[in-house]
Amino acid sequence: ILDMEFYDLMTHKESISLRQQIAYCYSANKKASSPANVYLTGISSKALDCMRVMNGFESWPTFKIENKSFIELFPKEDLVYLTADAETELERVDPKKIYIIGAFVDKNRHKGVTLQKAKDLGLKAACLPIKKYLKNIKGSKILTVNTVFEIILKTM
């Protein structure tokens, strides 16, 4: 799931960056030996207009566009929100779980909003074990939407 409910917190430039990252997700999914079913949830008309710049966006195979929130579409107990702010590291990808990625580019202006959303909804939250594997990397450990998507896609 790509959670589009943070769209209004982004600048125009950030929304264009997100659009490109979602296109990269589509490309990776299309090339995958076992493509995932991807939901863009909570998509507003403004976000949809931005995405429609990409011809054929609304008919991408394996991508489903929903204006409803993921919480209305899937059982709460099956959901795991992936957020860099979570304290719990994702040890392994459980194919029975549904993973949510905040479709959000903000250059760290809105720190903690995805974790807070997960808490508010009573969802499990986890981060990728970046610190464990990239100990010597200096700077931000925040990954792009498409990078997180590709990591999950390749480990399913």
Side-chain angles (χ1 to χ4, degrees), residues 31-142:
K31 293 174 187 173
S33 57
S34 184
N37 290 314
V38 182
Y39 286 76
L40 274 72
T41 62
I43 193 162
S44 66
S45 58
K46 186 177 172 185
L48 196 52
D49 287 344
C50 177
M51 297 300 295
R52 283 183 176 136
V53 169
M54 295 183 291
N55 288 339
F57 161 72
E58 292 174 279
S59 60
W60 284 354
T62 71
F63 270 65
K64 185 165 174 53
I65 302 162
E66 282 286 348
N67 61 352
K68 291 181 181 177
S69 174
F70 55 82
I71 204 76
E72 298 174 69
L73 301 169
F74 301 99
K76 192 175 185 176
E77 60 274 6
D78 293 343
L79 299 172
V80 178
Y81 211 115
L82 297 175
T83 171
D85 300 313
E87 292 180 24
T88 304
E89 286 188 345
L90 186 67
E91 295 295 323
R92 64 179 178 77
V93 174
D94 181 346
K96 295 179 182 166
K97 295 292 182 188
I98 300 167
Y99 294 93
I100 305 159
I101 301 168
F104 186 39
V105 175
D106 75 329
K107 307 297 183 207
N108 233 2
R109 283 192 332 276
H110 299 286
K111 185 121 177 80
V113 295
T114 51
L115 178 59
Q116 190 59 53
K117 181 174 185 175
K119 286 180 178 179
D120 291 348
L121 294 172
L123 301 177
K124 292 177 187 159
C127 65
L128 296 178
I130 298 168
K131 295 171 194 147
K132 186 176 183 178
Y133 294 103
L134 302 176
K135 293 176 189 165
N136 298 324
I137 302 293
K138 294 191 180 357
S140 176
K141 306 284 190 293
I142 307 297

Side-chain angles (χ1 to χ4, degrees), residues 4 7-22 46-47 50-51 54 103-106:
M4 298 288 290
Y7 188 83
D8 289 337
L9 295 178
M10 294 186 293
T11 65
H12 178 69
K13 185 177 177 183
E14 290 166 344
S15 67
I16 292 169
S17 177
L18 175 63
R19 179 176 66 209
Q20 187 61 52
Q21 290 178 38
I22 292 172
K46 186 177 172 185
C50 177
M51 297 300 295
M54 295 183 291
F104 186 39
V105 175
D106 75 329

